[in-house]
Amino acid sequence: MKKIGVLTSGGDAPGMNAAIRAVVRTAIFNNLEVVGVRRGYDGLIDNDFIPMQSSSVSNILQRGGTILKTMRSQRFMTVEGRQKAYDNLINSGIDALVVIGGDGTFTGAAVFNKEHEFSIVGLPGTIDNDLIGTDFTIGYDTALNTVVEAVDKIRDTADSHNRLFIVEVMGKDAGYIALRSGIGAGAEAILYPESEVFIDHLMMKLEDGKRRQKQSSIIIVAEGSKEGGAAEVAKKVNERFDYDTRVVVLGHVQRGGSPSCMERVRASQMGNAAVEALLEGKKNVMIGIVDKKIAYTPFENAIKHTGKLNPDLLKLVDILSI
Ligand code: F6P
């Protein structure tokens, strides 16, 4: 193996640049050439490659986003697109690829591997934390901090006006952001896609709070909750009770910002491990960190959603929000 490529794909996440930096510098440390692929899988198809040196990744560790740009590639979902990508890799003398992204990225990599013999190792780059095979995905910790900082500010005004705030966080299919940010921000209740608990439980919680003279409340709703997003939940609440209610949708602010220290450390560890894995001949696996150790999970397994959140943490939300 003499030359590797690296790309970012899907929704961007803080820490992706730290991972890119670790991939590039580990490769160069091992006398490999490194090529950055711009704009995710579309860049593979368009031959949009940029040679990278150690200096190419200077001063990016602290930056959110991805210097290689990213996107969700429709063309890579076609046989012709994947064939073009393969031809470009071979014609450019690229021997292996590190792909940084979420479940869509690894789904694409798994299909590509069925059609072409090519070494790919993945890094879990998504704020959703919805991948099997790692305790934390790159971007999750920073997104949580962003949500908690925002909700702390919201709590000031909620308390001043005795209001109920319903805050929507990202997570179409997974409630990991809602769960831990709910605990960190002291939310009275959270609604999340995996939940079978619906609006009635929420109403009970709010009524309990009122009986305990709770003057204001914060509800955190994952955008994919079965009761709908924050606006729909607010409508259902207002149909039942006369709360002075406001809605906040945090949106893409959760995807930006300077990565936290732990984010940078984990992303650096995983980026380094990805190149080491390729050098050891490993392929078609996602790198993760499980119980503080590097883990290797086949792409097909990494993208399976477990569909359940940590029951102990869910119980904690109920206990601490009385
Ligand atoms: O997958 C990460 C994510 O931020 C999800 O949490 C969110 O639902 C989605 O991407 C938003 O996608 P887009 O960036 O295309 O609006």
Side-chain angles (χ1 to χ4, degrees):
M1 186 170 68
K2 292 189 172 48
K3 185 192 284 188
I4 67 167
V6 57
L7 64 83
T8 47
S9 164
D12 67 325
M16 279 186 164
N17 281 328
I20 293 167
R21 173 176 173 271
V23 168
V24 170
R25 293 203 168 160
T26 302
I28 290 168
F29 182 84
N30 287 281
N31 302 313
L32 299 175
E33 280 183 72
V34 198
V35 168
V37 181
R38 295 169 54 81
R39 299 177 298 111
Y41 289 131
D42 265 20
L44 274 189
I45 297 169
D46 299 336
N47 216 33
D48 191 354
F49 299 161
I50 172 171
M52 299 188 83
Q53 295 78 34
S54 186
S55 60
S56 309
V57 291
S58 296
N59 199 26
I60 68 165
L61 177 61
Q62 75 282 8
R63 287 173 52 196
T66 162
I67 60 167
L68 292 177
K69 309 291 183 188
T70 183
M71 63 189 303
R72 294 182 172 87
S73 171
Q74 298 302 318
R75 288 187 289 162
F76 198 71
M77 296 164 88
T78 67
V79 174
E80 299 73 21
R82 294 188 293 269
Q83 182 61 55
K84 186 85 178 70
Y86 178 72
D87 295 342
N88 288 340
L89 285 164
I90 299 304
N91 295 337
S92 304
I94 295 173
D95 302 303
L97 192 59
V98 176
V99 297
I100 306 169
D103 54 356
T105 302
F106 301 144
T107 301
V111 173
F112 183 81
N113 277 308
K114 285 198 172 59
E115 295 164 347
H116 304 287
E117 185 56 39
F118 197 83
S119 295
I120 301 182
V121 163
L123 291 178
T126 172
I127 65 168
D128 289 346
N129 204 46
D130 59 349
L131 293 167
I132 306 294
T134 190
D135 292 338
F136 301 105
T137 56
I138 296 167
Y140 180 54
D141 187 54
T142 305
L144 288 175
N145 292 334
T146 299
V147 172
V148 166
E149 280 158 27
V151 174
D152 286 352
K153 292 181 173 68
I154 293 168
R155 189 173 289 281
D156 290 341
T157 181
D159 186 49
S160 303
H161 287 267
N162 289 345
R163 280 174 171 162
L164 165 63
F165 270 81
I166 302 180
V167 181
E168 183 176 306
V169 297
M170 282 185 158
K172 276 202 189 78
D173 310 312
Y176 297 102
I177 294 175
L179 178 54
R180 279 190 167 86
S181 66
I183 293 171
E188 273 61 40
I190 61 172
L191 289 179
Y192 45 93
E194 303 86 344
S195 163
E196 291 315 316
V197 164
F198 291 99
I199 202 86
D200 298 338
H201 174 74
L202 174 58
M203 294 296 94
M204 186 190 70
K205 288 291 293 179
L206 292 172
E207 271 312 290
D208 281 351
K210 262 196 167 173
R211 276 194 287 278
R212 289 196 189 87
Q213 314 305 319
K214 199 175 274 252
Q215 304 293 319
S216 63
S217 289
I218 305 271
I219 309 298
I220 289 192
V221 178
E223 60 183 322
S225 103
K226 293 191 178 68
E227 293 289 353
E232 293 87 340
V233 170
K235 188 168 173 295
K236 291 174 182 175
V237 168
N238 291 333
E239 281 162 3
R240 296 180 163 143
F241 295 94
D242 62 339
Y243 281 105
D244 186 2
T245 306
R246 293 296 186 275
V247 169
V248 175
V249 177
L250 291 179
H252 285 70
V253 73
Q254 299 163 87
R255 287 259 289 274
S258 179
S260 67
C261 179
M262 284 313 291
E263 202 84 85
R264 302 180 198 191
V265 173
R266 290 189 192 112
S268 300
Q269 285 179 285
M270 289 193 256
N272 168 263
V275 178
E276 305 282 6
L278 288 170
L279 288 166
E280 292 159 13
K282 291 188 174 72
K283 59 182 180 179
N284 309 338
V285 291
M286 181 196 82
I287 300 289
I289 298 177
V290 177
D291 298 334
K292 300 195 177 78
K293 290 194 185 61
I294 294 292
Y296 307 91
T297 306
F299 289 141
E300 291 79 2
N301 298 352
I303 55 185
K304 289 194 182 68
H305 296 295
T306 53
K308 59 181 183 304
L309 297 183
N310 179 329
D312 296 334
L313 290 182
L314 290 170
K315 190 156 169 268
L316 192 57
V317 173
D318 270 342
I319 294 168
L320 299 182
S321 61
I322 59 168

